[in-house]
mmCIF file with all atom_site columns, all heavy atoms in Angstrom:
data_model
loop_
_atom_site.group_PDB
_atom_site.id
_atom_site.type_symbol
_atom_site.label_atom_id
_atom_site.label_alt_id
_atom_site.label_comp_id
_atom_site.label_asym_id
_atom_site.label_entity_id
_atom_site.label_seq_id
_atom_site.pdbx_PDB_ins_code
_atom_site.Cartn_x
_atom_site.Cartn_y
_atom_site.Cartn_z
_atom_site.occupancy
_atom_site.B_iso_or_equiv
_atom_site.pdbx_formal_charge
_atom_site.auth_seq_id
_atom_site.auth_comp_id
_atom_site.auth_asym_id
_atom_site.auth_atom_id
_atom_site.pdbx_PDB_model_num
ATOM 1   N N   . ARG A 1 182 ? -20.930 61.978 91.579  1.00 88.00 ? 785 ARG A N   1
ATOM 2   C CA  . ARG A 1 182 ? -19.642 61.523 92.120  1.00 88.00 ? 785 ARG A CA  1
ATOM 3   C C   . ARG A 1 182 ? -19.408 62.126 93.496  1.00 88.00 ? 785 ARG A C   1
ATOM 4   O O   . ARG A 1 182 ? -19.772 63.273 93.756  1.00 88.00 ? 785 ARG A O   1
ATOM 5   C CB  . ARG A 1 182 ? -18.494 61.915 91.193  1.00 88.00 ? 785 ARG A CB  1
ATOM 6   C CG  . ARG A 1 182 ? -18.600 61.336 89.792  1.00 88.00 ? 785 ARG A CG  1
ATOM 7   C CD  . ARG A 1 182 ? -17.421 61.772 88.952  1.00 88.00 ? 785 ARG A CD  1
ATOM 8   N NE  . ARG A 1 182 ? -17.549 61.349 87.562  1.00 88.00 ? 785 ARG A NE  1
ATOM 9   C CZ  . ARG A 1 182 ? -16.672 61.643 86.600  1.00 88.00 ? 785 ARG A CZ  1
ATOM 10  N NH1 . ARG A 1 182 ? -15.603 62.382 86.894  1.00 88.00 ? 785 ARG A NH1 1
ATOM 11  N NH2 . ARG A 1 182 ? -16.859 61.221 85.368  1.00 88.00 ? 785 ARG A NH2 1
ATOM 12  N N   . VAL A 1 183 ? -18.767 61.343 94.345  1.00 91.00 ? 786 VAL A N   1
ATOM 13  C CA  . VAL A 1 183 ? -18.433 61.822 95.683  1.00 91.00 ? 786 VAL A CA  1
ATOM 14  C C   . VAL A 1 183 ? -17.181 62.684 95.594  1.00 91.00 ? 786 VAL A C   1
ATOM 15  O O   . VAL A 1 183 ? -16.133 62.236 95.121  1.00 91.00 ? 786 VAL A O   1
ATOM 16  C CB  . VAL A 1 183 ? -18.218 60.642 96.648  1.00 91.00 ? 786 VAL A CB  1
ATOM 17  C CG1 . VAL A 1 183 ? -17.723 61.152 98.005  1.00 91.00 ? 786 VAL A CG1 1
ATOM 18  C CG2 . VAL A 1 183 ? -19.503 59.860 96.816  1.00 91.00 ? 786 VAL A CG2 1
ATOM 19  N N   . LEU A 1 184 ? -17.320 63.926 96.030  1.00 90.00 ? 787 LEU A N   1
ATOM 20  C CA  . LEU A 1 184 ? -16.173 64.828 96.057  1.00 90.00 ? 787 LEU A CA  1
ATOM 21  C C   . LEU A 1 184 ? -15.336 64.577 97.311  1.00 90.00 ? 787 LEU A C   1
ATOM 22  O O   . LEU A 1 184 ? -14.106 64.565 97.272  1.00 90.00 ? 787 LEU A O   1
ATOM 23  C CB  . LEU A 1 184 ? -16.659 66.281 96.023  1.00 90.00 ? 787 LEU A CB  1
ATOM 24  C CG  . LEU A 1 184 ? -15.615 67.373 95.856  1.00 90.00 ? 787 LEU A CG  1
ATOM 25  C CD1 . LEU A 1 184 ? -14.905 67.225 94.518  1.00 90.00 ? 787 LEU A CD1 1
ATOM 26  C CD2 . LEU A 1 184 ? -16.272 68.743 95.948  1.00 90.00 ? 787 LEU A CD2 1
ATOM 27  N N   . ARG A 1 185 ? -16.054 64.356 98.410  1.00 93.00 ? 788 ARG A N   1
ATOM 28  C CA  . ARG A 1 185 ? -15.389 64.036 99.680  1.00 93.00 ? 788 ARG A CA  1
ATOM 29  C C   . ARG A 1 185 ? -16.399 63.310 100.563 1.00 93.00 ? 788 ARG A C   1
ATOM 30  O O   . ARG A 1 185 ? -17.499 63.817 100.785 1.00 93.00 ? 788 ARG A O   1
ATOM 31  C CB  . ARG A 1 185 ? -14.909 65.321 100.366 1.00 93.00 ? 788 ARG A CB  1
ATOM 32  C CG  . ARG A 1 185 ? -14.134 65.070 101.642 1.00 93.00 ? 788 ARG A CG  1
ATOM 33  C CD  . ARG A 1 185 ? -13.687 66.367 102.265 1.00 93.00 ? 788 ARG A CD  1
ATOM 34  N NE  . ARG A 1 185 ? -14.787 67.095 102.909 1.00 93.00 ? 788 ARG A NE  1
ATOM 35  C CZ  . ARG A 1 185 ? -14.669 68.294 103.458 1.00 93.00 ? 788 ARG A CZ  1
ATOM 36  N NH1 . ARG A 1 185 ? -13.505 68.919 103.395 1.00 93.00 ? 788 ARG A NH1 1
ATOM 37  N NH2 . ARG A 1 185 ? -15.702 68.873 104.035 1.00 93.00 ? 788 ARG A NH2 1
ATOM 38  N N   . PRO A 1 186 ? -16.076 62.104 101.052 1.00 94.00 ? 789 PRO A N   1
ATOM 39  C CA  . PRO A 1 186 ? -17.037 61.398 101.901 1.00 94.00 ? 789 PRO A CA  1
ATOM 40  C C   . PRO A 1 186 ? -17.196 62.094 103.246 1.00 94.00 ? 789 PRO A C   1
ATOM 41  O O   . PRO A 1 186 ? -16.278 62.773 103.728 1.00 94.00 ? 789 PRO A O   1
ATOM 42  C CB  . PRO A 1 186 ? -16.412 60.007 102.064 1.00 94.00 ? 789 PRO A CB  1
ATOM 43  C CG  . PRO A 1 186 ? -14.939 60.235 101.875 1.00 94.00 ? 789 PRO A CG  1
ATOM 44  C CD  . PRO A 1 186 ? -14.822 61.341 100.875 1.00 94.00 ? 789 PRO A CD  1
ATOM 45  N N   . ALA A 1 187 ? -18.364 61.931 103.835 1.00 94.00 ? 790 ALA A N   1
ATOM 46  C CA  . ALA A 1 187 ? -18.607 62.503 105.163 1.00 94.00 ? 790 ALA A CA  1
ATOM 47  C C   . ALA A 1 187 ? -17.933 61.628 106.214 1.00 94.00 ? 790 ALA A C   1
ATOM 48  O O   . ALA A 1 187 ? -18.059 60.395 106.185 1.00 94.00 ? 790 ALA A O   1
ATOM 49  C CB  . ALA A 1 187 ? -20.103 62.579 105.422 1.00 94.00 ? 790 ALA A CB  1
ATOM 50  N N   . MET A 1 188 ? -17.208 62.256 107.122 1.00 94.00 ? 791 MET A N   1
ATOM 51  C CA  . MET A 1 188 ? -16.581 61.528 108.235 1.00 94.00 ? 791 MET A CA  1
ATOM 52  C C   . MET A 1 188 ? -17.583 61.475 109.379 1.00 94.00 ? 791 MET A C   1
ATOM 53  O O   . MET A 1 188 ? -18.012 62.525 109.883 1.00 94.00 ? 791 MET A O   1
ATOM 54  C CB  . MET A 1 188 ? -15.287 62.211 108.666 1.00 94.00 ? 791 MET A CB  1
ATOM 55  C CG  . MET A 1 188 ? -14.225 62.222 107.581 1.00 94.00 ? 791 MET A CG  1
ATOM 56  S SD  . MET A 1 188 ? -12.674 62.968 108.133 1.00 94.00 ? 791 MET A SD  1
ATOM 57  C CE  . MET A 1 188 ? -11.664 62.818 106.665 1.00 94.00 ? 791 MET A CE  1
ATOM 58  N N   . VAL A 1 189 ? -17.952 60.266 109.784 1.00 94.00 ? 792 VAL A N   1
ATOM 59  C CA  . VAL A 1 189 ? -19.097 60.121 110.681 1.00 94.00 ? 792 VAL A CA  1
ATOM 60  C C   . VAL A 1 189 ? -18.804 59.145 111.827 1.00 94.00 ? 792 VAL A C   1
ATOM 61  O O   . VAL A 1 189 ? -17.876 58.342 111.772 1.00 94.00 ? 792 VAL A O   1
ATOM 62  C CB  . VAL A 1 189 ? -20.322 59.617 109.890 1.00 94.00 ? 792 VAL A CB  1
ATOM 63  C CG1 . VAL A 1 189 ? -20.693 60.600 108.793 1.00 94.00 ? 792 VAL A CG1 1
ATOM 64  C CG2 . VAL A 1 189 ? -20.061 58.233 109.285 1.00 94.00 ? 792 VAL A CG2 1
ATOM 65  N N   . GLY A 1 190 ? -19.667 59.264 112.850 1.00 94.00 ? 793 GLY A N   1
ATOM 66  C CA  . GLY A 1 190 ? -19.733 58.278 113.921 1.00 94.00 ? 793 GLY A CA  1
ATOM 67  C C   . GLY A 1 190 ? -20.981 57.431 113.712 1.00 94.00 ? 793 GLY A C   1
ATOM 68  O O   . GLY A 1 190 ? -22.044 57.956 113.381 1.00 94.00 ? 793 GLY A O   1
ATOM 69  N N   . VAL A 1 191 ? -20.858 56.134 113.904 1.00 94.00 ? 794 VAL A N   1
ATOM 70  C CA  . VAL A 1 191 ? -21.931 55.198 113.572 1.00 94.00 ? 794 VAL A CA  1
ATOM 71  C C   . VAL A 1 191 ? -22.427 54.504 114.836 1.00 94.00 ? 794 VAL A C   1
ATOM 72  O O   . VAL A 1 191 ? -21.632 54.133 115.704 1.00 94.00 ? 794 VAL A O   1
ATOM 73  C CB  . VAL A 1 191 ? -21.434 54.152 112.558 1.00 94.00 ? 794 VAL A CB  1
ATOM 74  C CG1 . VAL A 1 191 ? -22.558 53.206 112.155 1.00 94.00 ? 794 VAL A CG1 1
ATOM 75  C CG2 . VAL A 1 191 ? -20.859 54.837 111.322 1.00 94.00 ? 794 VAL A CG2 1
ATOM 76  N N   . ALA A 1 192 ? -23.757 54.345 114.911 1.00 92.00 ? 795 ALA A N   1
ATOM 77  C CA  . ALA A 1 192 ? -24.362 53.689 116.071 1.00 92.00 ? 795 ALA A CA  1
ATOM 78  C C   . ALA A 1 192 ? -24.006 52.206 116.083 1.00 92.00 ? 795 ALA A C   1
ATOM 79  O O   . ALA A 1 192 ? -23.960 51.552 115.039 1.00 92.00 ? 795 ALA A O   1
ATOM 80  C CB  . ALA A 1 192 ? -25.879 53.860 116.041 1.00 92.00 ? 795 ALA A CB  1
ATOM 81  N N   . LYS A 1 193 ? -23.764 51.702 117.276 1.00 89.00 ? 796 LYS A N   1
ATOM 82  C CA  . LYS A 1 193 ? -23.439 50.288 117.449 1.00 89.00 ? 796 LYS A CA  1
ATOM 83  C C   . LYS A 1 193 ? -24.459 49.663 118.390 1.00 89.00 ? 796 LYS A C   1
ATOM 84  O O   . LYS A 1 193 ? -24.801 50.241 119.411 1.00 89.00 ? 796 LYS A O   1
ATOM 85  C CB  . LYS A 1 193 ? -22.033 50.135 118.031 1.00 89.00 ? 796 LYS A CB  1
ATOM 86  C CG  . LYS A 1 193 ? -21.616 48.683 118.268 1.00 89.00 ? 796 LYS A CG  1
ATOM 87  C CD  . LYS A 1 193 ? -20.227 48.618 118.868 1.00 89.00 ? 796 LYS A CD  1
ATOM 88  C CE  . LYS A 1 193 ? -19.813 47.176 119.120 1.00 89.00 ? 796 LYS A CE  1
ATOM 89  N NZ  . LYS A 1 193 ? -18.463 47.101 119.745 1.00 89.00 ? 796 LYS A NZ  1
ATOM 90  N N   . GLY A 1 194 ? -24.935 48.493 118.049 1.00 79.00 ? 797 GLY A N   1
ATOM 91  C CA  . GLY A 1 194 ? -25.875 47.783 118.925 1.00 79.00 ? 797 GLY A CA  1
ATOM 92  C C   . GLY A 1 194 ? -27.273 47.862 118.382 1.00 79.00 ? 797 GLY A C   1
ATOM 93  O O   . GLY A 1 194 ? -27.807 46.892 117.853 1.00 79.00 ? 797 GLY A O   1
ATOM 94  N N   . GLY A 1 195 ? -27.889 49.021 118.467 1.00 70.00 ? 798 GLY A N   1
ATOM 95  C CA  . GLY A 1 195 ? -29.244 49.196 117.973 1.00 70.00 ? 798 GLY A CA  1
ATOM 96  C C   . GLY A 1 195 ? -30.270 48.739 118.981 1.00 70.00 ? 798 GLY A C   1
ATOM 97  O O   . GLY A 1 195 ? -29.946 48.083 119.988 1.00 70.00 ? 798 GLY A O   1
ATOM 98  N N   . PRO A 1 196 ? -31.538 49.073 118.753 1.00 70.00 ? 799 PRO A N   1
ATOM 99  C CA  . PRO A 1 196 ? -32.591 48.693 119.693 1.00 70.00 ? 799 PRO A CA  1
ATOM 100 C C   . PRO A 1 196 ? -32.804 47.188 119.701 1.00 70.00 ? 799 PRO A C   1
ATOM 101 O O   . PRO A 1 196 ? -32.662 46.514 118.682 1.00 70.00 ? 799 PRO A O   1
ATOM 102 C CB  . PRO A 1 196 ? -33.828 49.427 119.147 1.00 70.00 ? 799 PRO A CB  1
ATOM 103 C CG  . PRO A 1 196 ? -33.533 49.606 117.684 1.00 70.00 ? 799 PRO A CG  1
ATOM 104 C CD  . PRO A 1 196 ? -32.052 49.805 117.591 1.00 70.00 ? 799 PRO A CD  1
ATOM 105 N N   . LYS A 1 197 ? -33.141 46.667 120.866 1.00 59.00 ? 800 LYS A N   1
ATOM 106 C CA  . LYS A 1 197 ? -33.418 45.233 120.987 1.00 59.00 ? 800 LYS A CA  1
ATOM 107 C C   . LYS A 1 197 ? -34.802 44.941 120.443 1.00 59.00 ? 800 LYS A C   1
ATOM 108 O O   . LYS A 1 197 ? -35.721 45.751 120.537 1.00 59.00 ? 800 LYS A O   1
ATOM 109 C CB  . LYS A 1 197 ? -33.336 44.803 122.451 1.00 59.00 ? 800 LYS A CB  1
ATOM 110 C CG  . LYS A 1 197 ? -31.946 44.965 123.067 1.00 59.00 ? 800 LYS A CG  1
ATOM 111 C CD  . LYS A 1 197 ? -31.945 44.508 124.507 1.00 59.00 ? 800 LYS A CD  1
ATOM 112 C CE  . LYS A 1 197 ? -30.562 44.667 125.130 1.00 59.00 ? 800 LYS A CE  1
ATOM 113 N NZ  . LYS A 1 197 ? -30.547 44.233 126.556 1.00 59.00 ? 800 LYS A NZ  1
ATOM 114 N N   . THR A 1 198 ? -34.950 43.763 119.874 1.00 52.00 ? 801 THR A N   1
ATOM 115 C CA  . THR A 1 198 ? -36.261 43.345 119.369 1.00 52.00 ? 801 THR A CA  1
ATOM 116 C C   . THR A 1 198 ? -37.146 42.968 120.535 1.00 52.00 ? 801 THR A C   1
ATOM 117 O O   . THR A 1 198 ? -36.695 42.731 121.648 1.00 52.00 ? 801 THR A O   1
ATOM 118 C CB  . THR A 1 198 ? -36.115 42.144 118.428 1.00 52.00 ? 801 THR A CB  1
ATOM 119 O OG1 . THR A 1 198 ? -35.553 41.046 119.166 1.00 52.00 ? 801 THR A OG1 1
ATOM 120 C CG2 . THR A 1 198 ? -35.189 42.485 117.261 1.00 52.00 ? 801 THR A CG2 1
ATOM 121 N N   . ASP A 1 199 ? -38.473 42.879 120.270 1.00 48.00 ? 802 ASP A N   1
ATOM 122 C CA  . ASP A 1 199 ? -39.415 42.513 121.335 1.00 48.00 ? 802 ASP A CA  1
ATOM 123 C C   . ASP A 1 199 ? -39.118 41.124 121.873 1.00 48.00 ? 802 ASP A C   1
ATOM 124 O O   . ASP A 1 199 ? -39.210 40.887 123.068 1.00 48.00 ? 802 ASP A O   1
ATOM 125 C CB  . ASP A 1 199 ? -40.842 42.566 120.775 1.00 48.00 ? 802 ASP A CB  1
ATOM 126 C CG  . ASP A 1 199 ? -41.252 43.999 120.410 1.00 48.00 ? 802 ASP A CG  1
ATOM 127 O OD1 . ASP A 1 199 ? -40.597 44.920 120.942 1.00 48.00 ? 802 ASP A OD1 1
ATOM 128 O OD2 . ASP A 1 199 ? -42.186 44.164 119.616 1.00 48.00 ? 802 ASP A OD2 1
#
Side-chain angles (χ1 to χ4, degrees):
R785 300 180 186 178
V786 174
L787 188 63
R788 184 180 74 184
M791 297 183 180
V792 300
V794 183
K796 179 181 179 182
K800 296 181 180 179
T801 62
D802 294 340

